[in-house]
Amino acid sequence: MDIPMIELGSSSCGEELVPPWLKPMLRTSFFVPCEVHADSHKSECNMYCLDCVGHALCSYCLGDHKNHRLVQIRRSSYHNVIRVSEVSKFIDISCIQTYVINSAKIVFLNGRPQPRHGKGVTNTCEICCRSLLDNFRFCSLGCKLGGMQRDPGLSFVLRPKSSRDWLHGSESDESSTPRKVRKMSPTMAIDRWRWSDDEGGKFTMSTTGISPGTPPIISYRTSRRKGIPRRAPF
């Protein structure tokens, strides 16, 4: 399904396009009581409809949005976040730092200004100055949106997946998340299998054969042979 896009308001963004639901979603207040179902149990609004682009929804509102594109907003340290697996279906989140919370990758909706930085910080968000890993430019969806005013090369438009991406099932967030380098000692090689980062952290068949292990230490020194026992003289 094609996602309609709209141009940013500023002409400095050139031809960059943004989905029409992104700005309203970033401005929406979540985790507030639902105005329609305020008397119902668990009527907290933590859902958003990308097709209707209205207010936040509670679980009781979902019946009116069947077959619509819905995303769930979550919270981390009093900040709104969304799972990468949900948002990456609709927009490109490259250049945005992702985090892992409860075993799931997430991105923050809006910036979190950080005026003071610890020692050794070498990279910060271009908009709110939040400290980042070196591979990223922004800390949230909102900060990337603001960065598009300065950099016409940025975009939220999804890029088509290559045949390699479809083969290995990689998500759009893989390119924006640095991968940890795994080191393997010779003793970790089992038969002809080895650990490969290139294949998404799976065991793959080694084309170079069995990894050479440390040869066993062989001692060529033999024990000294005792001489013929002699009886002490009387």
Side-chain angles (χ1 to χ4, degrees):
M1 179 178 180
D2 295 335
I3 303 173
M5 298 281 181
I6 58 174
E7 292 187 6
L8 286 173
S10 174
S11 58
S12 62
C13 296
E15 301 298 326
E16 292 299 337
L17 302 175
V18 177
W21 49 263
L22 183 57
K23 285 185 178 180
M25 186 182 73
L26 298 181
R27 293 193 296 260
T28 299
S29 297
F30 294 96
F31 301 97
V32 296
C34 179
E35 297 180 357
V36 180
H37 307 98
D39 297 333
S40 302
H41 182 58
K42 294 184 179 181
S43 61
E44 192 176 53
C45 296
N46 65 340
M47 304 291 294
Y48 192 77
C49 181
L50 307 185
D51 295 319
C52 297
V53 191
H55 300 288
L57 308 174
C58 74
S59 58
Y60 299 100
C61 299
L62 302 183
D64 298 329
H65 298 267
K66 292 181 178 179
N67 301 322
H68 288 188
R69 296 173 300 164
L70 299 169
V71 293
Q72 181 177 354
I73 306 302
R74 305 166 194 271
R75 276 213 158 176
S76 174
S77 301
Y78 303 101
H79 293 281
N80 295 333
V81 303
I82 187 172
R83 284 187 174 179
V84 169
S85 59
E86 292 187 52
V87 72
S88 62
K89 298 176 182 178
F90 309 112
I91 57 176
D92 177 16
I93 60 171
S94 59
C95 302
I96 304 175
Q97 179 162 318
T98 61
Y99 301 83
V100 177
I101 298 178
N102 295 331
S103 303
K105 284 185 180 181
I106 59 93
V107 290
F108 285 85
L109 265 61
N110 294 292
R112 299 162 294 146
Q114 187 179 14
R116 294 184 179 182
H117 302 97
K119 294 182 180 180
V121 175
T122 59
N123 185 39
T124 60
C125 176
E126 297 179 9
I127 303 300
C128 72
C129 297
R130 165 71 57 171
S131 59
L132 302 173
L133 297 176
D134 292 339
N135 298 39
F136 302 99
R137 298 175 58 184
F138 307 103
C139 71
S140 64
L141 298 175
C143 287
K144 180 176 179 178
L145 185 63
M148 293 175 66
Q149 305 286 341
R150 307 175 182 180
D151 186 355
L154 292 171
S155 173
F156 280 106
V157 179
L158 282 175
R159 293 167 292 182
K161 290 185 178 181
S162 63
S163 57
R164 177 181 175 86
D165 293 335
W166 285 111
L167 178 63
H168 299 289
S170 61
E171 297 180 356
S172 61
D173 66 296
E174 291 298 326
S175 60
S176 63
T177 305
R179 181 179 295 171
K180 293 182 180 178
V181 178
R182 297 182 179 91
K183 296 182 180 180
M184 184 183 67
S185 63
T187 57
M188 291 176 62
I190 304 175
D191 295 333
R192 296 175 59 85
W193 295 90
R194 63 184 175 86
W195 186 269
S196 172
D197 264 332
D198 297 335
E199 301 297 334
K202 298 179 179 179
F203 281 105
T204 56
M205 181 69 74
S206 173
T207 57
T208 58
I210 302 175
S211 299
T214 303
I217 299 176
I218 302 176
S219 177
Y220 295 97
R221 185 178 63 183
T222 59
S223 60
R224 296 179 59 184
R225 186 174 181 179
K226 296 182 180 180
I228 301 174
R230 297 179 182 274
R231 181 177 296 179
F234 293 101

